[in-house]
Structure formats: structure tokens, C-alpha cells
Amino acid sequence: MRVSILIVTKKRKAELAQTLRILERYIDKSIHEVLVFDDASTDNTSDLIAVFDWVIWERSNKGLGASLARNKLYKNAKN
């Protein structure tokens, strides 16, 4: 079963780092995908996400809100 994991974040760099480290350990990246949307964070969240080269991510310079950000991720999900 293929799964897309969609994560919207804003100024939660530490929590996101922990989540991505856990996912890195437990998911099969060859069949699952992780998409992250950084909703205009000001805590260098995008720098953190870039370290996880298997994560598909997008950043907005202007806060879109959780619903619009989630919709953008959903449209980009393959699974």
C-alpha cells in the first residue's frame, strides 16, 4: 500500500525535525512519500527540511493558512 504523508508547518522547526527523523527510520521511502509545506515560517524551517533530501517540500513567503497549504500538498501527492 502506497501512502502520502502531508505535513503543514509554521514555526515548529523542532517538532518537524523530530517527526522527520522518526519517519526516516520507519517508512519505506521507495513506496511512500512525505510532502511538507512551510507556511511562511520565520525560524529557518526550510533550512531544516532541505537536509532531508527525500522530502518533497514547498515554502510560501506569505502565510496561506492550514487549509490552503494542505490543499496544495494534496494536489501534489502522487499516492
Side-chain angles (χ1 to χ4, degrees):
M1 176 179 184
R2 300 176 64 91
V3 175
S4 295
I5 299 168
L6 311 178
I7 301 170
V8 175
T9 188
K10 184 171 187 169
K11 297 187 219 173
R12 296 207 176 261
K13 185 177 177 180
E15 293 90 342
L16 180 63
Q18 180 180 12
T19 300
L20 293 177
R21 280 190 216 104
I22 291 168
L23 288 172
E24 187 171 42
R25 237 182 332 181
Y26 291 107
I27 67 166
D28 180 350
K29 293 180 282 298
S30 67
I31 60 171
H32 303 307
E33 65 180 354
V34 176
L35 294 92
V36 176
F37 190 91
D38 178 6
D39 195 23
S41 295
T42 56
D43 61 355
N44 297 320
T45 297
S46 292
D47 293 339
L48 165 79
I49 300 168
V51 171
F52 296 90
D53 61 350
W54 48 272
V55 172
I56 301 163
W57 63 281
E58 185 174 345
R59 182 182 194 290
S60 174
N61 291 323
K62 181 177 97 173
L64 300 179
S67 295
L68 287 176
R70 227 178 279 117
N71 286 341
K72 286 180 79 68
L73 289 178
Y74 179 74
K75 289 178 185 174
N76 292 328
K78 296 177 188 165
N79 299 326

